[in-house]
Amino acid sequence: MGIVAGLDSSPDFTRIVVCDADTGAVLRQGYAPHPVESPDGTGRPSDVDPQAWLLSLGEAAGGGLLEGVQAIGVSAQQNAVVPLDAQGNTVRPAMVGGDKRAQVAAADLIDALGGREAWAQAVGCVPQAPQPVTKLRWLAKTEPENAVRAAVLLQAHDWLVWQLLGRPVRRTTDRGGASGTGYWSAATGSYRGDLVELALGHQAMLPEVIGPAEAAGTTPEGLLISAGTGETMAAAFGLGIGLGDAVVSLGASGSVMAVHPEALVDSSGMITSLADATGMHLPVVTTLNAVRTLRGAAELLGVADLEGLSDLAMKSTPGSHGLVLLPYLEGERTPHLPHTAGMLAGLRRESMKPEHLARAAFEGMLCGLADALDVLRGRGVEVRRIFLLGAAAELSAVQAAAPMLFGAQVVVPQPADYAAIGAARQAAWALGVSQGTLDPRTPPVWQGASAQVLEPGEELAVGQAVRQQFVSVREQTHPGAFRP
């Protein structure tokens, strides 16, 4: 079919990959940081002029990178809201990131609709500070004049697609991006305009949700632009995950997601019911404490880095000589214990050694993520294979413990720009459908990610014993808090 490009506009940079449309082989790559500085110079800003994304895109695409490309897919950071006025101009800078300013707004919205269960039933998720619906509530309360002027609501990938197409009258999004807004239901496939009004104070125009293989349009130069999607969905598509696969992502916090044929409505709010980039569903369960648990343990033990902590942990044995770390250092979402703290149990004279505490930190982190996996398994989600993502996935202590604690084959993919690759695969799908060479129900088959495969093997029974040790401490400390 030729060549296609995938563009990933993350919070910090734009990365572009140019791929063979038939095989997915990466032919060329481009990269540019966003020309954005935070107000205090210490972290990411909460407000960004979206023109910065275009400037970064232009720089990343320099040097003829896109020469010969027939279609482009766009992946972009999730939870960014770009409010436009009736003329299509930005009302204010885009609201991006975790945005702790909106925490009070999230609580307001939960109460306004009648609680967590009401939200879970309505749109498959409970408002959190980062979500667009919550940012709209913050806007209405804090900047009412801007809220009144907001006539059109776009996310980052919607806005970029619209710009690439020359700002047409029609504005589009995809199921994946829409499912993270807090005002579109993956279960019903429709917007909840009443929730926009509840948050913003009035109705606003929302982009048309198009199918996974549909094109958003064609540029004046004849370049096809696919639907686009959020980074999470694009990365899952780039990895090539399907039914029976789950992805465990190790950041400061952790997340577990899996492909499922139907939307899961979870009245507890532990599951966020997203849609994926293929027409399936992508239920996600989040833990607040993943790599931050390891960093805390490294600091406590005076170890220089996570590699040193891993080496230390490997001197211990499964079960950490009875030490159990409940890793709830920032409170926890899974189980819902927002105001709790972490805990170290099982201290005996023989267990009070640095290597056992190091091992307990790894086991506590992974058992917390195994709890999140159990939430999905408890709702009938099949998990035969687990993709482990994040820099910490390369640590020997993680690779030694994860298969036995998760009770499944663990795949550690080689680091790559999976969100950009997923965007390119979506572009190839839309291009193939437009040419009549691909079925709109079946995405192109691309070569899988290069990966290391780890099996639980004979360690499975040992892993189950370690899990049970963790569960016993969790239940004694927080009885009944976790009900998968």
Side-chain angles (χ1 to χ4, degrees), residues 48-382:
V48 173
D49 182 348
Q51 292 296 327
W53 306 333
L54 281 183
L55 292 169
S56 172
L57 191 166
E59 186 179 341
L65 184 78
L66 299 179
E67 190 174 328
V69 166
Q70 295 168 273
I72 294 180
V74 176
S75 153
Q77 61 181 302
Q78 287 157 245
N79 297 323
V81 183
V82 187
L84 305 178
D85 64 18
Q87 287 72 47
N89 302 311
T90 50
V91 168
R92 69 179 311 285
M95 295 176 282
V96 301
D99 211 340
K100 291 185 177 179
R101 299 176 298 184
Q103 285 177 334
V104 173
D108 284 349
L109 279 176
I110 292 169
D111 291 343
L113 196 65
R116 298 168 62 85
E117 184 168 355
W119 277 97
Q121 294 289 342
V123 287
C125 61
V126 178
Q128 303 284 334
Q131 281 186 296
V133 71
T134 309
K135 290 185 168 94
L136 296 182
R137 179 73 158 197
W138 178 88
L139 188 67
K141 295 287 188 183
T142 313
E143 301 177 6
E145 292 178 2
N146 284 334
V148 168
R149 291 175 57 216
V152 182
L153 302 174
L154 299 180
Q155 292 189 86
H157 80 85
D158 310 335
W159 187 85
L160 284 165
V161 165
W162 184 58
Q163 294 289 332
L164 288 171
L165 291 172
R167 299 164 59 103
V169 173
R170 182 191 190 216
R171 300 177 182 93
T172 61
T173 191
D174 86 307
R175 297 169 64 256
S179 66
T181 59
Y183 44 82
W184 186 87
S185 166
T188 64
S190 57
Y191 281 115
R192 287 287 301 263
D194 58 318
L195 299 183
V196 174
E197 188 167 355
L198 180 69
L200 188 62
H202 62 87
Q203 294 282 358
M205 285 187 64
L206 302 170
E208 177 189 345
V209 180
I210 62 176
E214 285 186 65
T218 305
T219 68
E221 299 77 28
L223 193 64
L224 183 141
I225 309 294
S226 65
T229 195
E231 271 190 317
T232 298
M233 300 79 188
F237 197 40
L239 280 167
I241 70 168
L243 291 173
D245 292 334
V247 176
V248 173
S249 184
L250 300 176
S253 55
S255 68
V256 177
M257 63 182 177
V259 177
H260 198 57
E262 59 191 32
L264 296 179
V265 175
D266 173 44
S267 60
S268 73
M270 280 197 293
I271 298 174
T272 298
S273 192
L274 300 178
D276 79 347
T278 72
M280 302 280 273
H281 294 268
L282 203 63
V284 179
V285 180
T286 302
T287 69
L288 294 182
N289 301 280
V291 176
R292 63 166 44 99
T293 305
L294 304 183
R295 296 203 184 283
E299 288 174 18
L300 182 65
L301 292 168
V303 179
D305 53 31
L306 296 187
E307 287 76 12
L309 186 73
S310 175
D311 293 342
L312 187 61
M314 292 299 285
K315 295 176 181 176
S316 181
T317 53
S320 310
H321 275 243
L323 278 189
V324 175
L325 178 66
L326 293 186
Y328 306 151
L329 309 183
E330 296 280 328
E332 190 47 84
R333 277 187 63 180
T334 308
H336 184 63
L337 296 165
H339 306 299
T340 194
M343 177 179 156
L344 187 63
L347 282 169
R348 293 185 175 85
R349 179 64 191 89
E350 63 270 19
S351 65
M352 296 178 73
K353 293 183 179 179
E355 60 266 31
H356 302 323
L357 177 55
R359 177 92 188 193
F362 283 95
E363 290 179 345
M365 174 188 77
L366 292 169
C367 283
L369 289 159
D371 280 351
L373 269 168
D374 283 350
V375 172
L376 295 179
R377 284 171 165 149
R379 293 296 305 277
V381 177
E382 186 180 12

